[in-house]
Amino acid sequence: MTQKLTNTKKPFTIVIPIYDGVDYMDIAVPREMFYWLNHDKEFNRTVDIVYVGEQMGTFTTNNSVSIAVEGLFSDPHLQQPNLIWVPGGRPKTLSKILNDKHSAFTAYVKKAGANADWVCSVCEGAVLLANTGLLDGHDITTHWNFVHCFANYPKVNVVPGNPRYIKSGNRVTGGGISSGMDEALFLIELIAGTNSAIKVQQTMQYYPRPPVMSTIPKSTSCPIP
C-alpha cells in the first residue's frame, strides 16, 4: 500500500492549480498538512507546495482571501509534479472553465496530471479533473451536492455512500471540503509511511469529534450552470 520515498534530496513537488473563486479550505488543507512533512527526518525530502496559475499576481478565494500565485502553468519545472491536487470552487467559475475549449487551467491539469505520480482532487474539483479525461475508468468521490454533475462523464464511476476519500490506482479523490483533511493524511501515509502520517496527525491534533452530527443530504441535480 505504501510507496515510501526516502534517501533522495530531490524535492517532492505538489502543484495546486488555482483560479479566482477557488474554495479556500480546498487549497489550505493540503498546504498545511503536507507542509509538516518538511519537519519529518524519516521522510528525508523537501516538500515544495506551489499554487500554480495562468499569470503571476494574486488570486481571490471564494471567501475573498487574496493569495499570491507562486508558479505558472507554463513553468517547465512544474510540468512533471509528484502530485497534483485539483480544488473545487464556485459553481459559476467551474462552469466557465468547463465550457472554455481553450482553458489554460484544463490544459495544464491534463498535461501535469498525465505526468504526475499522484492525481488528486477534492470536493467538486473532481468535475474539473473529470473534464480532462484523467478520471476515466476510475472510482471517485466528490461533494454530495455535485454527484449528478458526472452524468456528463459516463466513464467515471462515482462511488455511492459519500466516502471521505477513494483511491483508484494513482488517483485519489476526496469528498466535500473538510474531506480534504482525511484525504491529505491518507496520501501522506501512502507517500511517506504510517509513522510520518501519525506524526502529522499528532502535530495537527487531528482527532475529530464534531459537536453536532447529521446525515449527508442527497442532491437532485448538478449545481454547475
Side-chain angles (χ1 to χ4, degrees):
M1 175 179 172
T2 300
Q3 295 185 10
K4 192 171 181 180
L5 304 169
T6 57
N7 300 319
T8 177
K9 292 183 179 180
K10 186 178 180 181
F12 188 91
T13 303
I14 298 172
V15 295
I16 304 176
I18 52 77
Y19 48 89
D20 285 325
V22 69
D23 185 87
Y24 180 75
M25 194 166 177
D26 283 6
I27 65 168
V29 162
R31 182 109 193 189
E32 178 71 16
M33 298 194 79
F34 286 113
Y35 159 78
W36 289 107
L37 277 178
N38 284 312
H39 297 269
D40 185 353
K41 294 180 180 178
E42 262 190 82
F43 185 54
N44 194 31
R45 294 186 75 172
T46 299
V47 180
D48 288 342
I49 308 164
V50 186
Y51 290 145
V52 188
E54 187 173 1
Q55 58 188 15
M56 298 304 287
T58 61
F59 65 97
T60 305
T61 66
N62 62 345
N63 58 349
S64 302
V65 177
S66 293
I67 301 174
V69 176
E70 300 167 313
L72 296 175
F73 293 152
S74 58
D75 284 346
H77 69 290
L78 298 177
Q79 304 306 308
Q80 294 183 304
N82 294 99
L83 187 151
I84 183 170
W85 177 285
V86 182
R90 291 182 187 142
K92 287 185 178 180
T93 304
L94 267 63
S95 178
K96 184 177 179 181
I97 294 172
L98 295 171
N99 291 308
D100 181 0
K101 294 182 179 179
H102 304 289
S103 167
F105 180 95
T106 302
Y108 175 74
V109 170
K110 186 173 184 178
K111 182 178 180 180
N115 295 330
D117 299 322
W118 295 100
V119 181
C120 312
S121 67
V122 67
C123 207
E124 63 267 33
V127 183
L128 296 175
L129 191 52
N131 192 49
T132 67
L134 290 172
L135 291 182
D136 287 358
H138 289 278
D139 294 337
I140 70 120
T141 187
T142 189
H143 190 288
W144 64 267
N145 201 30
F146 290 80
V147 169
H148 289 282
C149 298
F150 289 84
N152 294 326
Y153 308 102
K155 295 181 180 179
V156 180
N157 180 42
V158 182
V159 175
N162 305 112
R164 297 284 284 177
Y165 57 86
I166 286 286
K167 179 182 179 295
S168 180
N170 72 333
R171 273 62 165 168
V172 180
T173 52
I177 309 178
S178 69
S179 300
M181 298 186 74
D182 292 33
E183 180 186 4
L185 194 59
F186 174 67
L187 280 160
I188 288 169
E189 183 178 24
L190 291 173
I191 293 161
T194 301
N195 286 342
S196 294
I198 288 173
K199 290 175 189 175
V200 173
Q201 180 187 40
Q202 291 174 339
T203 298
M204 294 192 63
Q205 195 174 327
Y206 182 51
Y207 300 90
R209 295 182 64 184
V212 298
M213 291 296 292
S214 64
T215 57
I216 296 176
K218 291 185 177 181
S219 64
T220 57
S221 61
C222 176
I224 299 175

